[in-house]
Amino acid sequence: MPGAVPVKHGGDRLIAVGGEGTPEVAELCFGELAIALEKGVIATRHLAGDVLNLRHRLPLTWARVLGGECEPWAALKAAKLSRPLDRDRVGLVDRAVAAAVGEGPQRMLTVAEAKVIEADPDAHRARIAAEDAKTGVWLSRTRAGDAVDVLDAQPGTRRINARLPIGTAVEIDAVLDDLADALAEHAEPTDGEEKPSRRELRAQAFELLSRPHDAVAFLDGLDPAEHADRDEPAGGVKPRGRRRSAVLHVHLSALALRALGGDGVSGVARVEGLGPLLLEQLTVLLRHREIRLQPVIDLNTIQTVTAYEHPTVMRQRVLLRHAAGDGFPHSASATGLSSRVDLDHATPYDSSGPPGQPAQTSGQTSDLNTTPLTRAHHRTKTHTGGYQVHPLGLAAHRWVTPHGLARVVTPHGTTRVELIRARDGTIHGELYPHPAHLQLQLALT
């Protein structure tokens, strides 16, 4: 600008605070903005970068934010996660995140994380390699006052922190669980003493591992006949037992399956409890496990039984259809498959319901008439009174609250709807909002 102080004399200049494709901004503009936001200048600059990334690099997600359909903080987090990607790759993240907005913030960010990895797997491999160089185990240092601190006194304990590869960390966690189970089973009962808690048993197991010879002696004495039917190998070395089995719910897309076929395509697996992993990470995770192939679960299967309890296979199908794990409207509980949820009969169970009637109206136990709920949400629906839940299809339910709020819940999230009622109040259907964001997405893809 005419009359402006040259940059070499400390004047203002244009800088990039966002990722590729975002406009440059004046470097010195952040001072007053920081005062207005009551933040530091550096924090304000980072926030501005996230907003620019969201506005210019994730336009579909930005449209959902402007429409009041998405939590701004979650959208900004997705923009931050995808910042390292170039403009050609970030579109994959934008389309997936915008489609997952209705599934809740945690599920949306899980999708964003997986798509960032899928968009540039080589960059993620570089991140893994850099992280491997930071692994280690550390004993916490004592500080003056730790022994008598009012809030967090540690008069007789110390912390051990470990940073390990995913597969190693999971394996150690499983070993501690196994040892804790063995200690609980073989502990000598003492009169007047309470049984140790699970946390205490795991601490005892960890302590036992600090004495390797005692740990080996304890494990060898658990079941002397375990290896009696096996041939002892040459050299007199006894086998230490069979490999630990694992049950993993792994979600693979068609792209990932092509990668398994060796055509050079990289794939990402979403592992419950661990998040998205590259397929080579999944291989490392399973290297010491006994793997049993199970039949593919067809999520289009519809089964009806007269018993109140849900068969195991039906429970698996229901949970797999509900990716987030909780079917309550607007639920933020991303429980997943590995957490405990109740399977609720949308239409209350009727032990005398005729099997020939549709499962969603007869109150029978079926794929159509079942939705997973956390215990708190299950209690709310069952004991508050007035909730009406009507199955619309597999993993799709219409909820009407005691005060008449209507929502349709699917694996893609919760949608506000208007009820179509007869004069007597009978519900005949629902009206959905105009899906403008879906039209925008289709137009840009």
Side-chain angles (χ1 to χ4, degrees):
M1 294 177 60
V5 178
V7 174
K8 64 180 181 180
H9 293 154
D12 205 355
R13 60 176 177 172
L14 294 177
I15 61 172
V17 295
E20 181 181 325
T22 59
E24 295 181 331
V25 296
E27 181 182 15
L28 303 183
C29 74
F30 296 108
E32 186 175 11
L33 181 58
I35 295 173
L37 296 176
E38 299 182 358
K39 295 178 177 292
V41 173
I42 300 300
T44 301
R45 180 185 295 186
H46 291 326
L47 177 61
D50 294 338
V51 172
L52 289 173
N53 287 331
L54 176 60
R55 168 64 180 83
H56 295 277
R57 290 164 53 85
L58 305 179
L60 299 177
T61 307
W62 173 253
R64 303 297 296 271
V65 173
L66 294 181
E69 305 169 80
C70 177
E71 294 282 353
W73 69 265
L76 290 173
K77 179 69 173 178
K80 179 182 294 186
L81 293 175
S82 60
R83 176 171 177 166
L85 300 175
D86 58 38
R87 294 188 67 178
D88 294 333
R89 291 189 169 109
V90 77
L92 174 67
V93 179
D94 187 26
R95 290 188 292 272
V97 169
V101 161
E103 301 178 38
Q106 296 302 322
R107 170 64 179 158
M108 188 186 83
L109 291 178
T110 299
V111 170
E113 181 184 19
K115 291 303 177 180
V116 168
I117 296 174
E118 181 182 335
D120 195 350
D122 289 336
H124 191 63
R125 292 187 183 95
R127 286 190 289 267
I128 294 173
E131 194 71 10
D132 287 343
K134 301 177 183 178
T135 56
V137 180
W138 303 272
L139 179 66
S140 64
R141 296 181 179 179
T142 58
R143 298 175 299 178
D146 277 354
V148 294
D149 188 281
V150 176
L151 297 178
D152 190 24
Q154 300 179 55
T157 60
R158 297 280 294 278
R159 289 189 177 94
I160 290 182
N161 300 314
R163 192 170 189 170
L164 304 169
I166 293 175
T168 303
V170 170
E171 189 69 21
I172 290 177
D173 183 67
V175 168
L176 291 177
D177 270 342
D178 289 348
L179 275 177
D181 291 338
L183 289 170
E185 184 178 350
H186 294 80
E188 294 291 338
T190 305
D191 294 336
E193 290 189 5
E194 295 183 359
K195 293 182 178 181
S197 65
R198 187 66 182 176
R199 183 178 62 181
E200 292 171 331
L201 287 170
R202 282 173 57 90
Q204 293 175 17
F206 194 83
E207 181 184 359
L208 181 61
L209 290 178
S210 69
R211 308 189 306 275
H213 295 291
D214 292 345
V216 171
F218 172 73
L219 293 173
D220 283 347
L222 292 181
D223 188 1
E226 181 179 358
H227 306 297
D229 58 343
R230 297 186 182 182
D231 296 331
E232 186 169 313
V237 179
K238 296 181 180 180
R240 290 299 178 191
R242 59 186 179 85
R243 302 171 72 185
R244 184 182 294 106
S245 61
V247 178
L248 292 181
H249 298 275
V250 181
H251 306 265
L252 295 173
S253 66
L255 181 66
L257 291 174
R258 288 200 299 272
L260 289 174
D263 63 359
V265 180
S266 298
V268 178
R270 176 170 58 87
V271 182
E272 296 291 342
L274 297 178
L277 300 177
L278 291 172
L279 294 184
E280 55 258 43
Q281 288 181 285
L282 185 62
T283 302
V284 173
L285 182 65
L286 300 175
R287 60 185 174 182
H288 298 305
R289 302 279 174 161
E290 179 183 90
I291 303 174
R292 291 178 296 173
L293 294 178
Q294 300 289 348
V296 174
I297 299 177
D298 185 1
L299 300 186
N300 294 316
T301 300
I302 299 176
Q303 178 186 6
T304 300
V305 297
T306 56
Y308 178 81
E309 294 78 12
H310 293 79
T312 301
V313 176
M314 183 186 297
R315 178 182 179 88
Q316 289 180 328
R317 287 197 300 267
V318 171
L319 294 179
L320 286 169
R321 293 187 190 106
H322 293 78
D326 185 12
F328 196 82
H330 303 292
S331 174
S333 302
T335 56
L337 293 175
S338 57
S339 299
R340 296 178 180 178
V341 292
D342 298 337
L343 295 189
D344 175 67
H345 293 79
T347 301
Y349 176 77
D350 181 2
S351 59
S352 60
Q357 291 186 6
Q360 65 265 40
T361 59
S362 64
Q364 299 303 294
T365 301
S366 73
D367 289 80
L368 285 170
N369 195 39
T370 303
T371 184
L373 298 174
T374 63
R375 180 59 53 86
H377 290 155
H378 194 184
R379 291 176 58 233
T380 298
K381 172 183 176 292
T382 303
H383 301 297
T384 301
Y387 280 91
Q388 302 176 48
V389 183
H390 179 75
L392 301 176
L394 286 174
H397 296 83
R398 183 185 66 220
W399 287 69
V400 181
T401 71
H403 288 85
L405 300 178
R407 302 290 188 270
V408 170
V409 180
T410 72
H412 300 290
T414 303
T415 302
R416 180 184 302 177
V417 297
E418 295 183 17
L419 297 175
I420 301 175
R421 292 182 182 269
R423 291 184 177 181
D424 61 358
T426 304
I427 301 174
H428 289 289
E430 61 278 333
L431 294 175
Y432 292 80
H434 184 62
H437 63 274
L438 296 179
Q439 291 185 353
L440 177 62
Q441 179 176 347
L442 292 174
L444 297 177
T445 54

